Amino acid sequence: FFFPLLSIYRAPLNWFEQSLAHSTGQVLELLQTMRLSNRNSLLVGYALISSRGAEGFSANRRHIVGRIRATSTRSSLPSAVLDDIDISSEVQLKSFSIEKEGVPQQGTLVSPKNDWDFVDKVYLITCPNADPGSARLDKAKTILDKVGLLERVIVKEFDTDDEDRIRGCYTSHISVLKDGMRDIQLSSGITGGSKNVDDWLGSLLSMFGNNSDAKKRAEIVSNQNAVATNERPKCIMVLEDNVEFTGNLDAETLKSVSHYLGNSGADMIHLSYIPYVPNLIVSKTEDKNIVALSTGQSSALGTTAYVITEKAIETLIQEDAKNGFRAPIPDVMAEQFPNSRFSAYPTPFLRAPKTKSLVNPQLDDLRELLFQPAVVSQVQSVLAMTGLSTNYLLFITVGTLLAAGGVGVTGVVDAWTQIISTGSYDGNLFFLVVNIVFTTFSLGILAQGAALAPKPPDEVEEEGSSAEALDNRA
């Protein structure tokens, strides 16, 4: 009779019911440990839900599911309780056995294929005025649905800055980062109180008798929660509506990303990055699914998809408050986090090759060639395997193409001379022609990219000189 009283005497027990709501997941698991029947668990679950209210319980649903997952791979929570908790986006239910009375007796919680629980919030940036018919947004949502993120994503809409599209990209990301910081802090305020209520579970159970197993269970839950809180920093994921899926995503990669966030001092982990930028060095780490990214301050890796920690968000917000817009957002990230940016390897996302750019449309044709998933993956693999700077690799590539082209031209000249002299050619003329065409086409792409690439912005040398830099750019 104790638990239903909490919902009846709501006013005098307000302080207690809040703690009880935070610990619902633990209570239900403890009831299982105490071998109470599933029917009693169902009644107790309803009492706990009613004591918190549907709106407040929905806010805590991810926290509760996380605790259940942390403590056990199986659960006997009835489907009716799960339906009220509204966690359909976090778990899937297998079939239940039904008694004659129609009360579900046993079920299994199954984690999704892609477990994104280590990310606290997910945001998608879009510009409706530049997306007639929502074609870009709909495509992005289809991709997010494929990888298990659609139910969690929060769409952030912005108008394009037609005076300066680079500034528009910057302000949209800063705005999302500010919202992310606020949402993280709000979420921490809701769930943080549960840290102080773990101890009362053992005391509460002792009121019903000396149950050492239940006490041990409460201690284990408390310790696991403390470890999880200390190891994983708060973080958010930011995506743009030009995202494309590479197909390179599995549970092991996500586990590596989650582990690296909490054990490496990483400020950012890119889930997509542009490998065709100057001064980029990709280095392998002790985790085969994570690589370190090192760039110059004007090497824009892109912002199509990345995970960023709370500490890094605070750094960028403070930088914006100090200097405002003075450079593209990828350049600011490179400046602020020169040695603490990493990437999933291979990247699960990339900048869609056929989606028109809102910032530098002059590169759309070139981007459609270079941003094919297979091409990007190969270039990223070469960078990771060699550990060489893109500047050095570019020099090697151009030199190789020039040498190959020279061989082809020389061969064609010799073939033409032989044909004029003897009327025939003994070698493979077709191979020589293909060689010249390929090398010329490749060198043309490199030249076009160099000619059309945006110029790096003026660097800010002194505090307060951002306005002067913007005037110079204008």
Side-chain angles (χ1 to χ4, degrees), residues 270-344:
H270 287 263
L271 303 180
S272 167
Y273 73 90
I274 301 173
Y276 312 111
V277 297
N279 302 310
L280 170 63
I281 298 177
V282 180
S283 307
K284 291 184 177 181
T285 67
E286 65 276 9
D287 191 320
K288 66 177 183 179
N289 298 312
I290 302 292
V291 292
L293 304 177
S294 175
T295 67
Q297 292 187 10
S298 298
S299 302
L301 294 178
T303 50
T304 296
Y306 60 90
V307 177
I308 183 168
T309 65
E310 182 180 15
K311 179 173 69 71
I313 295 174
E314 185 177 1
T315 298
L316 292 176
I317 293 175
Q318 290 176 352
E319 165 61 23
D320 175 69
K322 179 180 179 181
N323 292 317
F325 167 66
R326 58 183 177 81
I329 186 66
D331 293 1
V332 177
M333 291 174 173
E335 175 188 89
Q336 297 298 317
F337 315 120
N339 301 311
S340 56
R341 288 188 300 168
F342 299 83
S343 172

Side-chain angles (χ1 to χ4, degrees), residues 119-150:
V119 179
D120 294 279
K121 297 290 180 180
V122 182
Y123 303 93
L124 174 66
I125 295 176
T126 187
C127 296
N129 67 314
D131 186 22
S134 300
R136 294 166 62 110
L137 180 60
D138 291 342
K139 181 180 178 180
K141 286 184 175 180
T142 300
I143 292 172
L144 296 181
D145 185 36
K146 184 183 300 184
V147 299
L149 281 172
L150 182 60

Side-chain angles (χ1 to χ4, degrees), residues 58-75:
S58 179
N60 290 328
R61 62 183 182 176
R62 200 174 307 281
H63 174 67
I64 293 170
V65 171
R67 288 191 168 199
I68 294 174
R69 288 179 178 173
T71 57
S72 177
T73 58
R74 297 182 61 86
S75 173

Side-chain angles (χ1 to χ4, degrees), residues 206-220:
S206 66
M207 297 170 57
F208 301 94
N210 185 13
N211 193 319
S212 58
D213 291 338
K215 291 181 179 179
K216 290 180 180 179
R217 180 75 169 184
E219 292 176 0
I220 293 174

